[in-house]
Amino acid sequence: MSRSNKTNVSDFILMGLTDSEEIRLVLFTLFLLIYLITVLGNTGMILIIRLDVQLHTPMYFFLSHLSLLDLSYSTVITPKTLENLVTLTKDISFRGCFTQLYFFVFSGATECFLLSSMAYDRYIAICNPLRYPVVMSMTLCRSLITASYVIGFIDSFVNILCMNTLHFCDSNVIHHFFCDTPPILVLSCTDTQNTEIVIFIFVGSTLMVSLITISVSYASIFSTILKINSTTGKRKAFSTCASHLLGVTIFYGTIIFTYLKPSKSYSLGKDQVASVFYTIVIPMLNPLIYSLRNKEVKNALIRVMQKRESTR
């Protein structure tokens, strides 16, 4: 991630979300609270899944990795955002900016394929319940997790490689609260068309393959649910995938709105709001969505607490 010889800037300036001191203090308090909930929620999910034997299933294996990614996702962005909200100097080094971008893209791309793996898991559980223990073996689960991380690495590596070919010789002011691809692209004093095409192909392919997998899985799931005669059976089947479907809808809705468009159409206000949502809010929402709507997680928490009390 070394700079090109034609790049004159040594660092970038993150403009943040607002110039108002009062609003910055409000946002600092809000984001700090959200980040603490995110850390506690995702760390708690990982610990509960690890400590409770009854949650050692494929679905919760994927969920523990989702919590790990959300924790990483938020930690890459939020601490620097909090720092910039309370300090006058909002600069970030060239290397630091590209490092933040790398881990941000890595976490996002990995989460896309992790959500696809979770959708496939739900498909097998509902459409082929008798074969579920055989199909969703731990070997397959580990392979799907490994593939998700490898794809995330490839996407982030290509993104950084393409961005590193750009030259920045004029403005170094990023009109955003973190180092993201679109606001950095608009700062380049060279033609970014080829870079945009390559990034769009990789990011678009990641999103489309993931979305197609999820769509096909849920089309089969809904078809199977509709064939169930009893209302209770339909409700029970749908409840097993409702949390995941809600998480997928929120995550992909904001991602598609923000990224699947040319960088020239980048809008400071709308895109920043969407970015706040998927970088800061969603990592907090996921553990709440999967725990509050899931009786197994609640029961596991009770069992872990009872076991701890009995140990004392």
Side-chain angles (χ1 to χ4, degrees):
M1 288 184 288
S2 60
R3 297 194 305 274
S4 169
N5 291 332
K6 295 184 179 179
T7 297
N8 297 329
V9 299
S10 60
D11 56 12
F12 291 107
I13 297 174
L14 295 169
M15 287 301 292
L17 294 164
T18 179
D19 294 328
S20 172
E21 185 176 352
E22 291 80 8
I23 296 178
R24 287 206 309 270
L25 290 175
V26 172
L27 290 177
F28 174 83
T29 304
L30 179 62
F31 289 171
L32 178 60
L33 179 62
I34 291 175
Y35 182 62
L36 292 175
I37 295 174
T38 300
V39 172
L40 291 174
N42 286 290
T43 303
M45 285 293 292
I46 294 171
L47 290 176
I48 290 172
I49 292 171
R50 184 176 180 84
L51 294 174
D52 192 82
V53 179
Q54 294 187 33
L55 296 185
H56 292 179
T57 62
M59 182 176 73
Y60 292 104
F61 175 72
F62 291 130
L63 187 55
S64 65
H65 281 273
L66 179 64
S67 293
L68 179 62
L69 280 174
D70 282 335
L71 190 59
S72 304
Y73 204 52
S74 182
T75 302
V76 167
I77 305 298
T78 309
K80 185 62 179 177
T81 302
L82 292 172
E83 178 188 340
N84 289 342
L85 285 171
V86 294
T87 59
L88 295 176
T89 56
K90 300 182 180 182
D91 60 307
I92 182 171
S93 67
F94 193 97
R95 188 180 297 273
C97 183
F98 275 65
T99 300
Q100 186 185 61
L101 178 61
Y102 173 86
F103 285 105
F104 169 69
V105 175
F106 171 78
S107 300
T110 303
E111 186 162 331
C112 284
F113 276 86
L114 179 58
L115 290 173
S116 300
S117 301
M118 294 174 72
Y120 179 73
D121 172 74
R122 293 299 84 201
Y123 158 74
I124 298 297
I126 294 175
C127 300
N128 298 285
L130 297 179
R131 297 185 58 205
Y132 182 78
V134 177
V135 175
M136 294 305 298
S137 63
M138 286 309 298
T139 301
L140 177 61
C141 292
R142 292 191 183 99
S143 298
L144 291 172
I145 287 293
T146 302
S148 298
Y149 283 112
V150 169
I151 290 168
F153 169 78
I154 293 173
D155 274 2
S156 56
F157 181 77
V158 170
N159 188 289
I160 289 297
L161 198 63
C162 291
M163 296 290 286
N164 205 42
T165 62
L166 301 177
H167 308 316
F168 304 94
C169 48
D170 295 323
S171 175
N172 67 336
V173 178
I174 299 177
H175 293 279
H176 211 358
F177 63 93
F178 71 99
C179 293
D180 198 5
T181 303
I184 295 178
L185 282 174
V186 300
L187 295 181
S188 176
C189 54
T190 54
D191 185 19
T192 63
Q193 184 176 1
N194 292 335
T195 300
E196 286 189 59
I197 291 173
V198 174
I199 293 175
F200 185 85
I201 288 173
F202 273 85
V203 174
S205 299
T206 298
L207 285 174
M208 290 309 298
V209 171
S210 179
L211 278 173
I212 289 172
T213 303
I214 292 171
S215 299
V216 171
S217 297
Y218 273 103
S220 301
I221 288 171
F222 290 143
S223 176
T224 301
I225 290 176
L226 290 175
K227 293 177 183 178
I228 299 175
N229 295 324
S230 66
T231 305
T232 304
K234 289 181 179 180
R235 187 181 298 110
K236 184 178 180 180
F238 183 75
S239 65
T240 63
C241 58
S243 298
H244 177 256
L245 185 60
L246 178 60
V248 165
T249 303
I250 296 173
F251 180 79
Y252 279 95
T254 52
I255 291 291
I256 291 172
F257 172 80
T258 305
Y259 291 106
L260 288 189
K261 59 185 179 182
S263 64
K264 300 301 180 184
S265 62
Y266 174 75
S267 170
L268 180 61
K270 292 187 295 183
D271 286 337
Q272 279 193 333
V273 171
S275 297
V276 167
F277 199 73
Y278 71 76
T279 58
I280 298 177
V281 178
I282 288 181
M284 176 195 70
L285 290 179
N286 275 339
L288 297 177
I289 290 172
Y290 286 98
S291 61
L292 294 178
R293 295 181 58 87
N294 196 314
K295 291 182 179 179
E296 290 182 350
V297 175
K298 295 177 183 178
N299 293 335
L301 178 60
I302 294 172
R303 286 194 297 270
V304 169
M305 293 178 67
Q306 288 176 343
K307 185 178 180 180
R308 184 178 179 184
E309 288 298 324
S310 62
T311 302
R312 287 181 177 179

